[in-house]
Amino acid sequence: MLSVLQQSHIHYPKVNVVNIQPEDIVFARKRCKISQNELANILGISVRTLESWERGHRKPSKAAQSLLRLFIRAPNVLVNYLT
């Protein structure tokens, strides 16, 4: 998977992914032009869970944060390889 990321010619803006913010999730999802339903399916979570993350009502688990870091840095990689 890292080789795919390293070979990618797409440059994404630097985002502080240590502390994932709700707006980072929304920004990455909209940049990738996918719906909440589509991202929830990719991540294997409910739409309600994703909505609560995007609104800042709940924080993702550590495992979900790892997937979200990848999604925020290179959303197309996650979408292309986990769908």
Side-chain angles (χ1 to χ4, degrees):
M1 186 91 140
L2 288 176
S3 62
V4 173
L5 287 172
Q6 292 166 345
Q7 293 174 4
S8 175
H9 299 311
I10 302 170
H11 298 285
Y12 297 99
K14 292 238 177 198
V15 176
N16 178 2
V17 292
V18 174
N19 296 314
I20 297 171
Q21 300 299 312
E23 57 271 13
D24 298 331
I25 302 168
V26 175
F27 178 77
R29 181 176 58 76
K30 288 183 176 181
R31 178 179 59 201
C32 201
K33 298 179 180 162
I34 62 174
S35 67
Q36 285 181 327
N37 190 46
E38 290 169 315
L39 180 56
N41 286 331
I42 291 167
L43 296 174
I45 60 171
S46 72
V47 175
R48 286 196 115 165
T49 297
L50 180 59
E51 288 172 348
S52 68
W53 294 349
E54 288 188 353
R55 292 181 181 153
H57 295 266
R58 292 179 54 203
K59 292 199 175 243
S61 67
K62 298 243 183 220
Q65 286 181 32
S66 294
L67 283 174
L68 287 169
R69 282 186 190 96
L70 174 60
F71 181 67
I72 289 167
R73 286 196 178 178
N76 292 329
V77 172
L78 189 72
V79 171
N80 291 336
Y81 291 95
L82 292 183
T83 55

Coordinates of all heavy atoms in Angstrom, one line a residue:
M1 N 0.8 -1.2 0.0 CA 0.0 0.0 0.0 C 0.9 1.2 0.0 O 0.5 2.2 -0.6 CB -0.9 0.0 1.2 CG -1.9 1.1 1.2 SD -3.4 0.5 0.4 CE -4.6 1.2 1.4
L2 N 2.0 1.2 0.7 CA 2.8 2.4 0.7 C 3.4 2.7 -0.6 O 3.5 3.9 -1.0 CB 4.0 2.2 1.7 CG 3.6 2.3 3.2 CD1 4.8 2.0 4.1 CD2 3.0 3.6 3.6
S3 N 3.7 1.7 -1.4 CA 4.2 2.0 -2.7 C 3.2 2.7 -3.6 O 3.5 3.6 -4.4 CB 4.6 0.7 -3.4 OG 3.5 -0.2 -3.6
V4 N 1.9 2.4 -3.4 CA 0.9 3.2 -4.1 C 0.9 4.6 -3.7 O 0.8 5.5 -4.5 CB -0.5 2.5 -3.8 CG1 -1.6 3.4 -4.4 CG2 -0.6 1.1 -4.4
L5 N 1.0 4.9 -2.4 CA 1.0 6.2 -1.9 C 2.3 7.0 -2.4 O 2.2 8.1 -2.8 CB 1.0 6.3 -0.4 CG -0.3 5.9 0.3 CD1 -0.1 5.8 1.8 CD2 -1.3 6.9 0.0
Q6 N 3.4 6.3 -2.4 CA 4.6 6.9 -2.9 C 4.6 7.2 -4.3 O 5.2 8.2 -4.8 CB 5.8 6.0 -2.5 CG 6.0 5.9 -1.0 CD 7.0 4.8 -0.6 OE1 7.3 3.9 -1.4 NE2 7.5 4.8 0.6
Q7 N 4.0 6.4 -5.1 CA 3.9 6.6 -6.6 C 2.9 7.6 -7.0 O 2.9 8.1 -8.1 CB 3.6 5.2 -7.3 CG 4.7 4.2 -7.1 CD 4.3 2.9 -7.7 OE1 3.3 2.7 -8.3 NE2 5.2 1.9 -7.5
S8 N 2.0 7.9 -6.1 CA 0.9 8.8 -6.5 C 1.5 10.2 -6.8 O 2.4 10.8 -6.1 CB 0.0 9.0 -5.3 OG -1.0 10.0 -5.6
H9 N 1.0 10.8 -7.9 CA 1.4 12.1 -8.3 C 0.5 13.2 -7.9 O 0.6 14.3 -8.2 CB 1.6 12.1 -9.9 CG 2.6 11.2 -10.4 ND1 3.8 11.1 -9.9 CD2 2.5 10.3 -11.4 CE1 4.5 10.1 -10.5 NE2 3.7 9.6 -11.4
I10 N -0.5 12.8 -7.1 CA -1.5 13.7 -6.6 C -1.0 14.3 -5.3 O -0.5 13.6 -4.4 CB -2.9 13.0 -6.3 CG1 -3.4 12.4 -7.6 CG2 -3.9 14.0 -5.7 CD1 -4.6 11.4 -7.4
H11 N -1.0 15.6 -5.2 CA -0.5 16.3 -4.0 C -1.6 16.8 -3.2 O -2.5 17.6 -3.7 CB 0.5 17.4 -4.4 CG 1.7 16.9 -5.1 ND1 2.7 16.3 -4.5 CD2 2.0 17.0 -6.4 CE1 3.6 16.0 -5.4 NE2 3.2 16.4 -6.6
Y12 N -1.7 16.4 -2.0 CA -2.8 16.8 -1.1 C -2.3 17.8 -0.1 O -1.1 17.7 0.3 CB -3.4 15.6 -0.4 CG -4.0 14.6 -1.3 CD1 -3.4 13.5 -1.7 CD2 -5.3 14.9 -1.8 CE1 -4.0 12.6 -2.6 CE2 -5.9 14.0 -2.7 CZ -5.2 12.9 -3.1 OH -5.8 12.0 -4.0
P13 N -3.1 18.8 0.3 CA -2.6 19.7 1.3 C -2.2 19.1 2.6 O -2.7 18.1 3.0 CB -3.7 20.7 1.5 CG -4.9 19.9 1.0 CD -4.5 18.9 0.0
K14 N -1.2 19.6 3.3 CA -0.8 19.1 4.6 C -1.9 19.3 5.6 O -2.4 20.4 5.7 CB 0.5 19.8 5.0 CG 1.7 19.4 4.2 CD 2.7 18.8 5.1 CE 3.9 18.4 4.1 NZ 4.7 17.5 4.8
V15 N -2.3 18.3 6.3 CA -3.3 18.4 7.3 C -2.7 17.8 8.6 O -2.0 16.8 8.5 CB -4.5 17.6 6.9 CG1 -5.6 17.6 8.0 CG2 -5.1 18.1 5.6
N16 N -3.0 18.4 9.7 CA -2.5 17.9 11.0 C -3.4 16.7 11.3 O -4.5 16.8 11.7 CB -2.7 18.9 12.1 CG -2.3 18.4 13.4 OD1 -1.9 17.2 13.6 ND2 -2.4 19.2 14.4
V17 N -2.8 15.5 11.0 CA -3.6 14.3 11.2 C -3.4 13.6 12.5 O -3.9 12.5 12.8 CB -3.4 13.3 10.0 CG1 -4.0 13.8 8.7 CG2 -2.0 12.9 9.9
V18 N -2.6 14.3 13.4 CA -2.4 13.7 14.7 C -3.7 13.9 15.5 O -4.2 13.0 16.1 CB -1.2 14.4 15.4 CG1 -1.2 14.0 16.9 CG2 0.1 14.2 14.7
N19 N -4.3 15.1 15.4 CA -5.6 15.3 16.0 C -6.6 15.6 14.9 O -6.7 16.7 14.4 CB -5.5 16.5 16.9 CG -4.6 16.3 18.1 OD1 -4.6 15.3 18.7 ND2 -3.7 17.2 18.3
I20 N -7.3 14.5 14.5 CA -8.2 14.7 13.4 C -9.4 15.5 13.8 O -10.0 15.3 14.9 CB -8.7 13.3 12.9 CG1 -7.5 12.5 12.4 CG2 -9.8 13.4 11.9 CD1 -7.8 11.0 12.1
Q21 N -9.7 16.5 13.0 CA -10.8 17.4 13.3 C -11.9 17.1 12.4 O -11.8 16.6 11.3 CB -10.3 18.9 13.1 CG -9.2 19.3 13.9 CD -9.5 19.3 15.4 OE1 -10.5 19.8 15.8 NE2 -8.6 18.7 16.2
P22 N -13.2 17.3 12.9 CA -14.3 17.0 12.1 C -14.3 17.7 10.7 O -14.6 17.0 9.7 CB -15.5 17.6 12.9 CG -15.0 17.6 14.3 CD -13.5 17.9 14.2
E23 N -13.8 18.9 10.6 CA -13.8 19.6 9.3 C -12.8 18.9 8.4 O -13.0 19.0 7.2 CB -13.5 21.1 9.5 CG -12.2 21.4 10.2 CD -12.4 21.5 11.7 OE1 -13.4 21.1 12.3 OE2 -11.4 22.1 12.3
D24 N -11.8 18.2 8.9 CA -10.8 17.5 8.0 C -11.5 16.4 7.3 O -11.3 16.1 6.2 CB -9.6 17.0 8.9 CG -8.8 18.1 9.5 OD1 -8.8 19.2 8.9 OD2 -8.2 17.8 10.5
I25 N -12.4 15.7 8.1 CA -13.1 14.5 7.5 C -14.0 15.0 6.4 O -14.1 14.5 5.3 CB -13.9 13.8 8.6 CG1 -12.9 13.3 9.7 CG2 -14.7 12.6 8.0 CD1 -13.7 12.8 10.9
V26 N -14.8 16.1 6.7 CA -15.7 16.7 5.7 C -15.0 17.1 4.5 O -15.4 16.8 3.4 CB -16.5 17.8 6.4 CG1 -17.4 18.5 5.3 CG2 -17.4 17.3 7.5
F27 N -13.9 17.9 4.7 CA -13.1 18.4 3.6 C -12.6 17.3 2.7 O -12.8 17.4 1.4 CB -12.0 19.2 4.1 CG -11.1 19.8 3.0 CD1 -11.5 20.9 2.3 CD2 -9.9 19.2 2.7 CE1 -10.7 21.4 1.2 CE2 -9.1 19.7 1.7 CZ -9.5 20.8 1.0
A28 N -12.0 16.2 3.3 CA -11.5 15.1 2.5 C -12.6 14.4 1.7 O -12.5 14.0 0.6 CB -10.7 14.2 3.4
R29 N -13.8 14.2 2.4 CA -14.9 13.5 1.7 C -15.4 14.3 0.6 O -15.7 13.8 -0.5 CB -16.0 13.3 2.8 CG -17.2 12.5 2.2 CD -18.2 12.2 3.2 NE -18.7 13.4 3.9 CZ -19.6 14.2 3.4 NH1 -20.1 14.1 2.2 NH2 -20.1 15.3 4.2
K30 N -15.6 15.6 0.8 CA -16.1 16.5 -0.3 C -15.1 16.6 -1.5 O -15.5 16.6 -2.6 CB -16.5 17.8 0.2 CG -17.8 17.7 1.1 CD -18.2 19.1 1.5 CE -19.5 18.9 2.3 NZ -20.0 20.2 2.8
R31 N -13.8 16.7 -1.1 CA -12.8 16.7 -2.2 C -12.8 15.5 -3.0 O -12.5 15.5 -4.2 CB -11.4 16.9 -1.5 CG -10.3 17.0 -2.5 CD -8.9 17.2 -1.8 NE -8.7 16.1 -0.8 CZ -7.9 16.1 0.2 NH1 -7.2 17.3 0.4 NH2 -7.7 15.1 1.0
C32 N -13.1 14.3 -2.4 CA -13.2 13.1 -3.1 C -14.5 12.9 -3.8 O -14.7 11.9 -4.6 CB -12.9 11.9 -2.2 SG -12.4 10.4 -2.9
K33 N -15.4 13.8 -3.6 CA -16.8 13.8 -4.2 C -17.5 12.5 -3.9 O -18.1 11.9 -4.8 CB -16.7 14.0 -5.7 CG -16.1 15.4 -6.0 CD -16.0 15.6 -7.5 CE -15.4 17.0 -7.7 NZ -14.9 17.2 -9.0
I34 N -17.5 12.1 -2.6 CA -18.3 11.0 -2.2 C -19.3 11.4 -1.1 O -19.0 12.3 -0.3 CB -17.5 9.8 -1.7 CG1 -16.6 10.1 -0.5 CG2 -16.6 9.2 -2.9 CD1 -15.9 8.9 0.0
S35 N -20.4 10.7 -1.0 CA -21.4 11.0 0.0 C -21.0 10.4 1.4 O -20.1 9.6 1.5 CB -22.7 10.4 -0.4 OG -22.7 9.0 -0.4
Q36 N -21.7 10.8 2.4 CA -21.5 10.2 3.7 C -21.8 8.8 3.7 O -21.1 8.0 4.3 CB -22.4 10.9 4.8 CG -22.0 12.3 5.2 CD -22.9 12.9 6.2 OE1 -24.1 12.7 6.2 NE2 -22.3 13.7 7.1
N37 N -22.8 8.4 3.0 CA -23.2 7.0 2.9 C -22.1 6.2 2.2 O -21.7 5.1 2.7 CB -24.5 6.8 2.0 CG -25.0 5.4 2.1 OD1 -25.1 4.8 3.2 ND2 -25.4 4.9 1.0
E38 N -21.5 6.7 1.2 CA -20.4 6.0 0.5 C -19.2 5.8 1.4 O -18.6 4.8 1.5 CB -20.0 6.7 -0.8 CG -21.0 6.6 -1.9 CD -20.8 7.6 -3.0 OE1 -20.4 8.7 -2.8 OE2 -20.9 7.1 -4.2
L39 N -18.8 6.9 2.1 CA -17.6 6.8 3.0 C -17.9 5.9 4.2 O -17.1 5.1 4.6 CB -17.3 8.2 3.5 CG -16.1 8.2 4.5 CD1 -14.8 7.6 3.9 CD2 -15.7 9.7 4.9
A40 N -19.1 6.0 4.7 CA -19.5 5.0 5.8 C -19.4 3.6 5.4 O -18.8 2.8 6.1 CB -20.9 5.3 6.3
N41 N -19.8 3.3 4.1 CA -19.7 1.9 3.6 C -18.2 1.5 3.5 O -17.8 0.4 3.8 CB -20.4 1.8 2.3 CG -21.9 1.7 2.4 OD1 -22.4 1.3 3.5 ND2 -22.6 2.2 1.4
I42 N -17.4 2.4 3.0 CA -16.0 2.1 2.8 C -15.3 1.8 4.1 O -14.5 0.9 4.3 CB -15.2 3.3 2.1 CG1 -15.7 3.4 0.6 CG2 -13.7 3.2 2.2 CD1 -15.3 4.7 0.0
L43 N -15.7 2.6 5.2 CA -15.1 2.5 6.5 C -15.7 1.4 7.3 O -15.2 1.0 8.4 CB -15.2 3.8 7.3 CG -14.4 5.0 6.7 CD1 -14.7 6.2 7.5 CD2 -12.9 4.7 6.7
G44 N -16.9 0.9 6.8 CA -17.6 -0.2 7.6 C -18.3 0.3 8.8 O -18.3 -0.4 9.8
I45 N -18.8 1.5 8.7 CA -19.5 2.1 9.9 C -20.9 2.6 9.4 O -21.1 2.6 8.2 CB -18.7 3.3 10.5 CG1 -18.5 4.4 9.4 CG2 -17.4 2.8 11.1 CD1 -17.9 5.7 10.0
S46 N -21.7 3.0 10.4 CA -23.0 3.5 10.0 C -22.9 5.0 9.6 O -21.9 5.6 10.0 CB -24.0 3.4 11.2 OG -23.6 4.3 12.2
V47 N -23.9 5.4 8.8 CA -23.9 6.8 8.4 C -24.0 7.7 9.7 O -23.4 8.8 9.8 CB -25.0 7.1 7.4 CG1 -25.1 8.6 7.1 CG2 -24.8 6.3 6.2
R48 N -24.8 7.2 10.6 CA -25.0 8.0 11.9 C -23.7 8.2 12.6 O -23.4 9.3 13.2 CB -26.0 7.3 12.8 CG -27.4 7.5 12.3 CD -28.3 7.1 13.4 NE -29.0 8.4 13.8 CZ -30.0 8.4 14.5 NH1 -30.5 7.3 15.0 NH2 -30.6 9.6 14.7
T49 N -22.8 7.2 12.6 CA -21.5 7.3 13.3 C -20.7 8.4 12.5 O -20.1 9.2 13.1 CB -20.8 6.0 13.3 OG1 -21.6 5.1 14.1 CG2 -19.4 6.1 13.9
L50 N -20.6 8.3 11.2 CA -19.9 9.2 10.4 C -20.4 10.7 10.6 O -19.6 11.6 10.8 CB -19.9 8.9 8.9 CG -19.1 9.8 8.0 CD1 -17.7 9.9 8.4 CD2 -19.3 9.4 6.6
E51 N -21.7 10.8 10.6 CA -22.3 12.1 10.9 C -21.9 12.7 12.3 O -21.5 13.8 12.4 CB -23.8 12.0 10.9 CG -24.4 11.8 9.5 CD -25.9 11.6 9.6 OE1 -26.5 11.3 10.7 OE2 -26.6 11.6 8.5
S52 N -21.8 11.8 13.3 CA -21.4 12.3 14.6 C -20.0 12.7 14.6 O -19.6 13.6 15.3 CB -21.7 11.2 15.7 OG -20.9 10.1 15.5
W53 N -19.1 12.0 13.8 CA -17.7 12.4 13.7 C -17.6 13.7 13.0 O -16.8 14.6 13.5 CB -16.9 11.4 13.0 CG -16.7 10.0 13.6 CD1 -17.1 9.7 14.9 CD2 -16.2 8.9 12.9 NE1 -16.8 8.3 15.1 CE2 -16.3 7.8 13.9 CE3 -15.8 8.6 11.7 CZ2 -15.8 6.5 13.6 CZ3 -15.3 7.3 11.4 CH2 -15.4 6.3 12.3
E54 N -18.3 13.9 11.9 CA -18.2 15.1 11.1 C -18.8 16.3 11.9 O -18.4 17.5 11.7 CB -18.9 15.0 9.8 CG -18.2 14.1 8.8 CD -18.8 14.0 7.4 OE1 -19.9 14.6 7.2 OE2 -18.2 13.4 6.6
R55 N -19.7 16.1 12.8 CA -20.2 17.2 13.6 C -19.5 17.4 14.9 O -19.7 18.4 15.6 CB -21.7 16.9 14.0 CG -22.6 16.9 12.8 CD -24.0 16.6 13.1 NE -24.9 16.6 12.0 CZ -26.0 16.0 11.8 NH1 -26.4 15.2 12.8 NH2 -26.7 16.0 10.7
G56 N -18.5 16.5 15.2 CA -17.7 16.7 16.4 C -18.4 16.2 17.7 O -17.9 16.5 18.8
H57 N -19.5 15.4 17.5 CA -20.2 14.9 18.7 C -19.5 13.7 19.3 O -19.7 13.5 20.5 CB -21.7 14.6 18.3 CG -22.5 15.7 17.9 ND1 -23.3 16.4 18.8 CD2 -22.6 16.3 16.7 CE1 -23.9 17.4 18.1 NE2 -23.5 17.4 16.9
R58 N -18.8 13.0 18.4 CA -18.1 11.8 18.9 C -16.8 11.7 18.2 O -16.6 12.3 17.2 CB -18.9 10.5 18.5 CG -20.2 10.3 19.3 CD -20.9 9.1 18.9 NE -20.1 7.9 19.0 CZ -20.4 6.7 18.3 NH1 -21.4 6.7 17.5 NH2 -19.6 5.7 18.4
K59 N -15.8 11.0 18.9 CA -14.5 10.9 18.3 C -14.3 9.4 17.8 O -14.8 8.5 18.4 CB -13.4 11.2 19.3 CG -13.4 12.6 19.7 CD -12.1 12.9 20.4 CE -12.0 14.4 20.6 NZ -11.0 15.1 19.9
P60 N -13.7 9.3 16.6 CA -13.5 7.9 16.1 C -12.5 7.1 17.0 O -11.7 7.7 17.7 CB -12.8 8.2 14.8 CG -12.8 9.6 14.5 CD -13.2 10.3 15.8
S61 N -12.7 5.8 17.0 CA -11.8 4.9 17.7 C -10.4 5.0 17.1 O -10.2 5.6 16.1 CB -12.3 3.5 17.6 OG -12.1 3.1 16.2
K62 N -9.4 4.5 17.8 CA -8.0 4.5 17.3 C -7.9 3.8 15.9 O -7.2 4.3 15.1 CB -7.1 3.9 18.3 CG -7.1 4.6 19.6 CD -5.7 5.1 19.9 CE -5.8 5.7 21.3 NZ -5.0 6.9 21.4
A63 N -8.6 2.7 15.8 CA -8.6 2.0 14.5 C -9.2 2.9 13.4 O -8.6 3.0 12.3 CB -9.3 0.7 14.6
A64 N -10.3 3.5 13.7 CA -11.0 4.4 12.7 C -10.1 5.6 12.4 O -10.0 6.0 11.3 CB -12.3 4.8 13.2
Q65 N -9.4 6.1 13.4 CA -8.5 7.2 13.2 C -7.4 6.9 12.2 O -7.0 7.7 11.4 CB -7.9 7.7 14.5 CG -8.9 8.5 15.4 CD -8.3 8.9 16.7 OE1 -7.1 9.3 16.7 NE2 -9.1 9.0 17.7
S66 N -6.9 5.7 12.3 CA -5.9 5.2 11.3 C -6.4 5.3 9.9 O -5.7 5.8 9.0 CB -5.4 3.8 11.7 OG -4.7 3.8 12.9
L67 N -7.6 4.8 9.7 CA -8.2 4.8 8.3 C -8.5 6.2 7.9 O -8.2 6.6 6.8 CB -9.5 4.0 8.3 CG -9.3 2.5 8.2 CD1 -10.6 1.8 8.3 CD2 -8.6 2.1 7.0
L68 N -8.9 7.1 8.9 CA -9.2 8.5 8.5 C -8.0 9.2 8.2 O -8.0 10.1 7.3 CB -10.0 9.1 9.7 CG -11.4 8.7 9.8 CD1 -12.0 9.2 11.2 CD2 -12.2 9.1 8.7
R69 N -6.8 8.9 8.8 CA -5.6 9.6 8.5 C -5.2 9.3 7.0 O -4.8 10.2 6.3 CB -4.5 9.1 9.4 CG -4.5 9.7 10.8 CD -3.3 9.4 11.6 NE -3.5 9.8 13.0 CZ -3.9 9.0 13.9 NH1 -4.2 7.7 13.7 NH2 -4.1 9.5 15.1
L70 N -5.4 8.1 6.6 CA -5.1 7.7 5.2 C -6.1 8.4 4.3 O -5.7 9.0 3.3 CB -5.2 6.2 5.0 CG -5.1 5.7 3.6 CD1 -3.7 6.1 3.0 CD2 -5.3 4.2 3.6
F71 N -7.3 8.4 4.7 CA -8.4 9.1 3.9 C -8.1 10.6 3.7 O -8.2 11.1 2.7 CB -9.8 8.8 4.5 CG -10.8 9.5 3.7 CD1 -11.1 9.0 2.4 CD2 -11.6 10.5 4.2 CE1 -12.1 9.6 1.6 CE2 -12.6 11.1 3.4 CZ -12.9 10.6 2.2
I72 N -7.7 11.2 4.8 CA -7.5 12.7 4.8 C -6.2 13.0 3.9 O -6.2 13.9 3.2 CB -7.3 13.2 6.2 CG1 -8.7 13.2 6.9 CG2 -6.7 14.6 6.2 CD1 -8.6 13.4 8.4
R73 N -5.2 12.2 4.0 CA -4.0 12.4 3.3 C -4.1 12.1 1.8 O -3.6 12.8 0.9 CB -2.8 11.7 3.9 CG -2.3 12.3 5.1 CD -1.0 11.7 5.5 NE -0.6 12.4 6.7 CZ 0.5 12.2 7.3 NH1 1.4 11.3 6.8 NH2 0.8 12.8 8.4
A74 N -4.8 11.0 1.5 CA -4.9 10.5 0.1 C -6.3 9.8 0.0 O -6.3 8.6 -0.1 CB -3.8 9.6 -0.2
P75 N -7.3 10.6 -0.1 CA -8.7 10.0 -0.1 C -8.9 9.0 -1.3 O -9.6 8.0 -1.1 CB -9.6 11.2 -0.2 CG -8.8 12.3 -0.6 CD -7.4 12.0 -0.2
N76 N -8.3 9.3 -2.4 CA -8.6 8.4 -3.6 C -8.0 7.0 -3.4 O -8.5 6.1 -3.9 CB -8.0 9.1 -4.9 CG -8.9 10.3 -5.3 OD1 -10.0 10.4 -5.0 ND2 -8.2 11.3 -5.9
V77 N -6.9 7.0 -2.7 CA -6.3 5.7 -2.4 C -7.2 4.8 -1.6 O -7.5 3.6 -1.9 CB -4.9 5.8 -1.6 CG1 -4.4 4.5 -1.2 CG2 -3.9 6.5 -2.5
L78 N -7.8 5.3 -0.5 CA -8.7 4.6 0.3 C -10.0 4.2 -0.5 O -10.4 3.0 -0.5 CB -9.2 5.4 1.5 CG -10.0 4.7 2.6 CD1 -9.1 3.7 3.3 CD2 -10.6 5.7 3.5
V79 N -10.5 5.1 -1.3 CA -11.7 4.8 -2.1 C -11.4 3.8 -3.1 O -12.2 2.9 -3.3 CB -12.2 6.2 -2.7 CG1 -13.4 5.9 -3.7 CG2 -12.7 7.1 -1.6
N80 N -10.3 3.9 -3.8 CA -10.0 2.9 -4.9 C -9.7 1.6 -4.4 O -10.0 0.6 -5.1 CB -8.8 3.5 -5.7 CG -9.2 4.7 -6.5 OD1 -10.3 4.9 -6.8 ND2 -8.2 5.5 -6.9
Y81 N -9.1 1.4 -3.2 CA -8.6 0.1 -2.8 C -9.5 -0.5 -1.7 O -9.3 -1.7 -1.4 CB -7.2 0.2 -2.3 CG -6.2 0.5 -3.4 CD1 -5.9 1.8 -3.8 CD2 -5.8 -0.6 -4.3 CE1 -5.0 2.0 -4.8 CE2 -5.0 -0.3 -5.4 CZ -4.6 1.0 -5.6 OH -3.8 1.2 -6.7
L82 N -10.4 0.2 -1.2 CA -11.3 -0.4 -0.2 C -12.8 -0.5 -0.6 O -13.6 -0.9 0.1 CB -11.3 0.3 1.2 CG -9.9 0.2 1.9 CD1 -10.0 1.0 3.2 CD2 -9.5 -1.2 2.1
T83 N -13.0 -0.2 -1.9 CA -14.4 -0.3 -2.4 C -14.6 -1.6 -3.2 O -13.6 -2.2 -3.6 CB -14.8 0.9 -3.3 OG1 -13.9 1.0 -4.3 CG2 -14.9 2.1 -2.5

